[in-house]
Amino acid sequence: MYKKLIVANWKSNKNPEEAVQWLEELKQKTENLALKTENFEVVICPPFIDIPTLNNRLKVMSFKFQVKVGAQDVSPFDNGSYTGAVSAKQMQGLIDYCIVGHSERRKNFGETTAMVASKISQLVSQKIKPIICAENQENIPDNLKSFSTDSAVIMFEPSSAISINGVFRAEDPAEVQKVITDWKATVGNYQMLYGGSVNPENTKQLLEVRAEGFVIGKASLSVDSFTGILANV
């Protein structure tokens, strides 16, 4: 059984100073909160500019639960002449997880499943665990099956459930359960996360239908809402 993975995807938000403030506030608000810390670990996926700062702060901070750092994207290429790209090799030792194939990357940056396949290979080669976002099985690259079920994570991300302007419409839990069951049977027993309008109010219900963690967007920007989710895990 997997430990629940609670991933904060900050997207294009928070500079290094704001990232530290968020981290310190999270520590303060969870210090005396009754949490089932053995049930989960937290992964913070900030913009690239915040990764070194968060790593340095975490070295001198002590949380009652495990906190790791991830990235929101990675280059499909190795090191080289790729202006603006950050390779998996450059991030080795700085992150434990990396989101790939997010619907916003596909929509706004033209990312393809073939590109996601290359990113998965780059990450796994550096012992960084990809969090593969998919709305359907066609979004999951075939090369995933070349890697063990412990080397990657899959996130079911239905486009209809992505929060818009703060309006949350999570997927029907029955549909979430069906997708997770089907994908585990056909793709493999990878850890299955859910992403799309996750908030403190629907956390328990989604966990009851086999979700093994969450990728949280807007609700992760507020420490109060993120803490509320942790309290319900």
Side-chain angles (χ1 to χ4, degrees):
M1 184 175 179
Y2 292 106
K3 183 178 282 193
K4 303 296 186 294
L5 205 60
I6 313 301
V7 183
N9 177 16
W10 287 353
K11 306 187 180 183
S12 189
N13 293 286
K14 299 191 186 301
N15 60 32
E17 181 179 354
E18 292 167 333
V20 170
Q21 290 172 350
W22 187 97
L23 198 63
E24 292 177 344
E25 187 179 347
L26 180 68
K27 178 173 172 54
Q28 177 188 1
K29 292 191 172 179
T30 58
E31 192 71 28
N32 299 312
L33 194 64
L35 297 172
K36 297 177 182 176
T37 55
E38 71 280 2
N39 286 0
F40 66 85
E41 68 179 64
V42 167
V43 180
I44 305 169
C45 293
F48 285 127
I49 59 168
D50 297 340
I51 289 174
T53 300
L54 286 178
N55 270 308
N56 289 335
R57 289 299 297 170
L58 284 169
K59 288 176 182 176
V60 297
M61 295 179 75
S62 177
F63 281 85
K64 58 199 294 187
F65 47 86
Q66 195 164 35
V67 181
K68 296 182 177 180
V69 178
Q72 297 175 22
D73 191 31
V74 67
S75 172
F77 307 110
D78 202 343
N79 292 351
S81 301
Y82 304 105
T83 301
V86 179
S87 72
K89 192 173 291 184
Q90 288 173 293
M91 292 192 286
Q92 205 278 333
L94 293 175
I95 62 171
D96 292 287
Y97 293 87
C98 182
I99 297 170
V100 292
H102 194 283
S103 60
E104 292 167 351
R105 297 292 310 177
R106 293 176 184 269
K107 176 184 175 182
N108 298 324
F109 298 93
E111 188 161 297
T112 65
T113 300
M115 292 170 66
V116 174
S118 295
K119 293 180 179 189
I120 292 170
S121 296
Q122 292 290 331
L123 291 167
V124 173
S125 73
Q126 300 302 318
K127 295 182 170 54
I128 299 169
K129 191 173 288 191
I131 300 173
I132 304 154
C133 305
E135 182 171 13
N136 49 58
Q137 288 195 46
E138 287 70 32
N139 291 158
I140 301 174
D142 291 337
N143 74 327
L144 177 61
K145 293 184 178 181
S146 303
F147 307 110
S148 72
T149 54
D150 292 331
S151 62
V153 177
I154 298 174
M155 189 262 278
F156 172 44
E157 182 194 24
S159 58
S160 59
I162 297 171
S163 60
I164 300 174
N165 297 325
V167 178
F168 296 93
R169 296 189 182 90
E171 181 61 83
D172 178 3
E175 178 63 18
V176 175
Q177 183 169 26
K178 181 180 184 303
V179 167
I180 290 174
T181 301
D182 289 349
W183 290 12
K184 279 182 174 285
T186 55
V187 179
N189 191 31
Y190 297 89
Q191 183 168 9
M192 285 289 304
L193 313 184
Y194 170 77
S197 296
V198 177
N199 59 62
E201 287 69 44
N202 61 27
T203 304
K204 285 185 176 179
Q205 189 178 22
L206 290 165
L207 289 173
E208 288 171 358
V209 295
R210 296 190 67 190
E212 296 167 324
F214 305 108
V215 176
I216 305 157
K218 186 176 179 62
S220 73
L221 297 178
S222 161
V223 172
D224 284 337
S225 61
F226 192 74
T227 301
I229 291 169
L230 296 183
N232 287 325
V233 173

